[in-house]
Amino acid sequence: MHNHSTASDGLLSPTQLIELAARTGADAIALTDHDTTDGLEEALAAAKRLGLTFVPGVEISVSWGDTTLHVVGLAVDPSAPALVAGLASIREGRLARGRRIAEALAKVGIEESFEGAYALAENKTMLGRTHFARHLVETGRVKNLQAAFDKYLAKGKPAYVAHRWAELSPAVQWIRTAGGIAVLAHPGRYDLKPMFRDEMLKDFRSAGGEAIEVVTGSHRPEQYAHWQRMALEHGFLASRGADYHGPGESPIEPGRLPPLDGSLTPVWSRWAH
Ligand code: AMP
Ligand code: MN
Ligand code: MN
Ligand code: MN
């Protein structure tokens, strides 16, 4: 229930992603690109052809205080006007942010990274840090994607540029008015003290969020039990998704994650009967 394509920062086209999911034996798959629904139509056509259940989704970038959170919307209607306008408003800031990332990289001696990253972004309205990271790998500045984030692009590093994304409550509302379910993505990945984690879950719930990811490629397996407990304690539905970005970049392919524990209510119980 969480995967990327070339419509955002994935390496596979929507069609190639669905073909991979069919090969790994998944019976259902969601496409959840960052701040865009551009890949959904193509993915749906491929899923129909291959007999997979397709769940149209999106992963929205949100600013919660100084922390960036990701909120996945599942089973959304991509033509819903509030969602369309909201996503467009987030994407608008991405090119200017890209310029600032490039300026910051220039200060540490890396020139012309905007052009490099931009060339790697297939969807020119969805330029992200991953494109910069791939450019740094391709030009030999770092040995892999992780090193690009660790050395330059992660929070606290020289080319990190603070950016204001959507506010939590409107983002959840865009998902809900599009008929979808709001899922807090990889809750274990945010750099928050325990007290703030609890507050994040409460704020997400009061904003209208209904589910959290428990089993995800963006959690370490030893984190699953904690977020399972949080889902049960806070009464959230649970989701499971690879957060797949492409071959060589994501360790877990769609369809190859461990199952959710039987004590949890899966988010797909909402639409799969
Ligand atoms: P952006 O929305 O442009 O800030 O990019 C966020 C994306 O960067 C995430 O969805 C990941 O794909 C990628 N990312 C962030 N941190 C890391 C990291 N430490 N290692 C690899 N990829 C990362
Ligand atoms: Mn990403
Ligand atoms: Mn994410
Ligand atoms: Mn993701």
Side-chain angles (χ1 to χ4, degrees):
M1 293 297 114
H2 185 156
N3 300 285
H4 297 274
S5 75
T6 47
S8 67
D9 62 357
L11 288 171
L12 301 183
S13 71
T15 300
Q16 289 171 323
L17 174 73
I18 303 297
E19 286 170 350
L20 171 65
R23 281 202 302 280
T24 62
D27 53 9
I29 183 166
L31 176 61
T32 56
D33 275 308
H34 298 286
D35 305 330
T36 180
T37 58
D38 286 354
L40 296 182
E41 207 179 298
E42 183 187 321
L44 174 64
K48 274 192 181 150
R49 178 165 58 80
L50 293 163
L52 272 81
T53 298
F54 180 67
V55 179
V58 65
E59 182 175 17
I60 304 183
S61 312
V62 161
S63 292
W64 183 70
D66 290 338
T67 305
T68 299
L69 303 180
H70 285 173
V71 177
V72 163
L74 290 178
V76 294
D77 169 5
S79 69
L83 181 64
V84 171
L87 296 179
S89 73
I90 306 177
R91 287 195 308 271
E92 220 167 73
R94 280 189 172 271
L95 284 178
R97 172 196 186 232
R99 294 274 180 206
R100 293 181 60 204
I101 292 174
E103 283 163 20
L105 284 170
K107 285 198 182 124
V108 293
I110 298 173
E111 304 288 343
E112 293 184 6
S113 63
F114 184 88
E115 292 72 15
Y118 191 74
L120 294 177
E122 216 154 292
N123 181 351
K124 301 301 183 193
T125 73
M126 233 318 297
L127 181 67
R129 280 186 291 165
T130 308
H131 303 111
F132 280 89
R134 289 183 188 136
H135 172 69
L136 293 174
V137 175
E138 280 189 5
T139 53
R141 266 82 172 217
V142 289
K143 64 177 191 308
N144 57 35
L145 212 65
Q146 190 56 53
F149 280 92
D150 291 348
K151 196 164 176 207
Y152 296 108
L153 297 163
K155 196 170 183 175
K157 304 300 170 182
Y160 180 80
V161 169
H163 188 77
R164 217 56 214 161
W165 304 107
E167 295 299 312
L168 178 59
S169 187
V172 170
Q173 284 314 309
W174 303 336
I175 292 168
R176 291 173 64 100
T177 58
I181 299 177
V183 185
L184 184 65
H186 40 67
R189 237 180 72 175
Y190 310 118
D191 184 23
L192 292 168
K193 297 219 159 60
M195 192 185 91
F196 288 103
R197 283 192 213 155
D198 217 56
E199 200 165 308
M200 165 181 75
L201 293 179
K202 286 182 180 147
D203 276 9
F204 181 61
R205 150 64 37 91
S206 15
E210 296 176 79
I212 66 172
E213 289 183 346
V214 172
V215 172
T216 147
S218 287
H219 281 167
R220 297 186 306 279
E222 60 270 24
Q223 291 179 295
Y224 297 165
H226 174 78
W227 293 101
Q228 175 174 325
R229 208 161 57 239
M230 290 301 107
L232 292 170
E233 262 176 34
H234 289 258
F236 284 114
L237 301 169
S239 191
R240 166 175 175 262
D243 202 358
Y244 187 73
H245 282 74
E249 290 194 2
S250 300
I252 302 174
E253 293 181 324
R256 297 213 198 268
L257 285 161
L260 290 177
D261 188 83
S263 62
L264 295 161
T265 308
V267 65
W268 51 85
S269 65
R270 279 299 186 77
W271 58 83
H273 296 287

